[in-house]
Amino acid sequence: MEERTPLIAGNWKMYKTGNEAVETAEKLLELVSDVETTDIMIAPTFTSLALVSKVIGNSNIALGAQNIYWEKEGAFTGEISGPMLVSAGCQYVIIGHSERRQYFGETNNTVNKKIFAATKSGLIPIVCVGETAAERNEEKTFSVLDKQIEKGLEGLTLDEHQSIVLAYEPVWAIGTGKTATPDQVQEVHFYLRDLIEKRFGNMLAKTIRILYGGSVKPDNVSELMALPDIDGALVGGASLQPDSFSKIINF
Ligand code: PGA
């Protein structure tokens, strides 16, 4: 199997003021500065990006944003563009998180536009997909994922040189303490890799990193990371504390 460098990404959501974000990043940096074999990313709120960027500098921790708008600039009150995120120090951007789909009208169509905007700016998109509890109960998991991938990645020409990351986040496992079972996670990740192979070919399918997200904690991360098609984690709650996040990074 191809070697894929694991990626452990922290989504800080709407937590932490600027000072708190700086303090957390400083502590985290102390705890993980010797990590070499795993990529690390933290995504604070927009107002903390430049502050945290100064703390992590050129260290082994990369900076990510939690959202992006697809225009470069213009009269779009409240939005942030790719070039602005890059100038704040970002290398990654989370796109299509289920909270954005649920509360802020994000659709597969807007996800698609945002992925184009991110790659154009040189940002690595972390594209989130996943089914709700009701969809899983109605056995619609795979058809939901089909649509999210088909529409979300529509028109993109990706090859193994183009960095894009997928994150499978079953909505029912986010912030609930309910982690999907290893069998459920592996089944979906295998399915997603197969979809990528059909759509973009074997090379990208082998190299693309597929993260799992949804109540990842220090005590369940190693079991998840041992699965063949899991290449990392997108962590919410447990990424807010440097101690617990560093344990996850050192899975
Ligand atoms: P959680 O969030 O780890 O708190 O479940 C994951 C996410 O929303 O990315």
Side-chain angles (χ1 to χ4, degrees):
M1 182 185 279
E2 287 289 314
E3 279 288 309
R4 295 183 291 266
T5 307
L7 169 63
I8 305 291
N11 173 10
W12 289 359
K13 307 192 179 184
M14 201 177 75
Y15 290 101
K16 297 183 191 294
T17 61
N19 287 343
E20 289 164 350
V22 163
E23 205 179 300
T24 307
E26 284 170 349
K27 282 194 191 140
L28 182 67
L29 191 55
E30 270 172 38
L31 292 170
V32 302
S33 59
D34 59 343
V35 172
E36 286 172 2
T37 49
T38 297
D39 290 344
I40 305 166
M41 184 279 269
I42 49 179
T45 58
F46 287 141
T47 51
S48 296
L49 287 174
L51 296 169
V52 170
S53 176
K54 272 200 189 135
V55 175
I56 58 181
N58 287 325
S59 72
N60 60 339
I61 304 180
L63 190 67
Q66 299 173 19
N67 190 19
I68 182 175
Y69 190 62
W70 52 82
E71 295 292 344
K72 195 174 105 219
E73 60 181 17
F76 303 104
T77 303
E79 296 295 329
I80 310 265
S81 74
M84 291 167 190
L85 296 178
V86 170
S87 81
C90 290
Q91 286 171 254
Y92 291 87
V93 58
I94 299 168
I95 296 177
H97 190 280
S98 67
E99 284 150 19
R100 296 220 52 89
R101 294 179 190 256
Q102 211 176 331
Y103 307 128
F104 302 103
E106 193 89 89
T107 64
N108 292 329
N109 182 37
T110 59
V111 165
N112 182 257
K113 290 181 180 177
K114 291 180 179 193
I115 298 171
F116 271 99
T119 52
K120 196 172 169 195
S121 301
L123 291 162
I124 301 171
I126 300 181
V127 181
C128 303
V129 295
E131 81 287 359
T132 62
E135 287 161 347
R136 180 164 278 268
N137 293 339
E138 290 165 29
E139 299 186 354
K140 287 187 185 153
T141 298
F142 295 108
S143 62
V144 167
L145 294 169
D146 283 344
K147 214 171 188 174
Q148 289 175 336
I149 293 290
E150 189 198 316
K151 298 273 173 210
L153 303 187
E154 193 170 345
L156 281 162
T157 43
L158 295 175
D159 60 28
E160 65 280 13
H161 306 297
Q162 192 103 38
S163 285
I164 179 169
V165 176
L166 289 183
Y168 169 55
E169 299 207 300
V171 179
W172 47 274
I174 295 177
T176 57
K178 271 191 225 166
T179 327
T181 66
D183 283 353
Q184 286 171 326
V185 178
Q186 173 54 28
E187 183 186 34
V188 169
H189 281 230
F190 181 83
Y191 184 81
L192 288 171
R193 204 175 294 287
D194 192 51
L195 273 186
I196 293 296
E197 175 161 1
K198 287 186 185 124
R199 171 75 172 73
F200 297 100
N202 182 259
M203 288 303 284
L204 185 67
K206 276 188 182 161
T207 53
I208 194 167
R209 292 185 288 188
I210 309 180
L211 315 183
Y212 167 76
S215 299
V216 175
K217 306 281 180 239
D219 60 0
N220 60 23
V221 65
S222 46
E223 185 181 28
L224 291 161
M225 290 303 292
L227 300 167
D229 285 298
I230 283 65
D231 308 310
L234 182 54
V235 186
S239 74
L240 296 171
Q241 303 300 331
D243 272 352
S244 58
F245 195 43
S246 68
K247 282 184 191 143
I248 292 173
I249 291 164
N250 285 302
F251 61 90

